[in-house]
Amino acid sequence: MQLKPLARSLAVALSIVVIAGCSSTGGTQDGDSYGSQDGSSMGSSTSGVGTSGQYGSTSGSGAAGQQANSRIPEVRTIYFDYDRDTIKSEYESVVMAHARYLRANPNARVVLHGHTDERGTREYNMALGERRAGAVQRFLNTQGVSPSQMSVVSYGEERPAVSGQNESAYSQNRRVVFNY
């Protein structure tokens, strides 16, 4: 009799994933989908020129969509709330873009690097970093990405993106990085 609540929970979760997949990417009219939220210093500009199809938009011609799916999405870092391993809704479109890329490129491999801020014990932070990267891996898997294309590594607090002991630094260190 416990199977019925489990089936209901799975149906609700699947519905949420489908609805999230249909949501807007939140880009602007000039095509600047995310600016420089990823916190990296890749040296590339994300201004609107040539980026409107970046995340595999289904509008427009099919060839443009195919071309967009052949490029690794520019935004390769997503951020998490304190002591949480759930993907924020504002980053679901980023993860969806990576899912489209990985599905379109079955030979591509990604390592998901989980990170935390420095608060908490080393052991706890290693586990939290792994849970964060695992949450992204599960999301990608539900979007049809092959498990053989993904692996997870947790660095915990060991590789901070920003030094400092304030919320600004902490928020930039609570992240998962897509490493191709």
Side-chain angles (χ1 to χ4, degrees):
M1 291 309 249
Q2 291 183 350
L3 190 58
K4 194 172 186 179
L6 177 63
R8 191 175 330 183
S9 297
L10 288 174
V12 169
L14 183 59
S15 299
I16 291 171
V17 169
V18 169
I19 290 170
C22 296
S23 67
S24 168
T25 60
T28 61
Q29 285 183 341
D30 67 353
D32 187 9
S33 294
Y34 297 100
S36 59
Q37 285 182 353
D38 67 351
S40 68
S41 56
M42 294 170 36
S44 65
S45 170
T46 56
S47 66
V49 179
T51 61
S52 61
Q54 168 111 12
Y55 297 103
S57 167
T58 57
S59 62
S61 71
Q66 280 291 69
Q67 185 179 9
N69 288 339
S70 66
R71 290 179 286 168
I72 297 172
E74 278 187 43
V75 179
R76 296 187 194 165
T77 304
I78 64 170
Y79 299 94
F80 291 79
D81 287 328
Y82 173 70
D83 204 26
R84 301 295 304 266
D85 61 6
T86 54
I87 299 169
K88 292 181 177 183
S89 60
E90 65 195 85
Y91 294 110
E92 286 180 2
S93 59
V94 174
V95 181
M96 290 294 294
H98 286 278
R100 282 191 293 276
Y101 171 77
L102 289 164
R103 282 193 317 260
N105 299 280
N107 291 327
R109 304 283 182 264
V110 65
V111 179
L112 303 168
H113 295 187
H115 299 269
T116 66
D117 60 39
E118 65 185 43
R119 296 173 289 183
T121 65
R122 183 181 184 283
E123 293 79 15
Y124 181 81
N125 286 335
M126 290 297 285
L128 180 57
E130 186 169 347
R131 288 197 316 269
R132 287 176 174 164
V136 174
Q137 182 181 38
R138 285 188 301 280
F139 188 96
L140 291 170
N141 197 315
T142 62
Q143 298 305 313
V145 176
S146 170
S148 66
Q149 290 180 269
M150 303 176 282
S151 59
V152 168
V153 174
S154 175
Y155 292 108
E157 63 190 75
E158 301 301 318
R159 295 188 181 184
V162 177
S163 296
Q165 295 182 332
N166 56 45
E167 184 53 35
S168 176
Y170 294 152
S171 66
Q172 293 179 56
N173 290 329
R174 299 187 301 254
R175 68 197 190 279
V176 166
V177 178
F178 293 78
N179 189 9
Y180 288 93

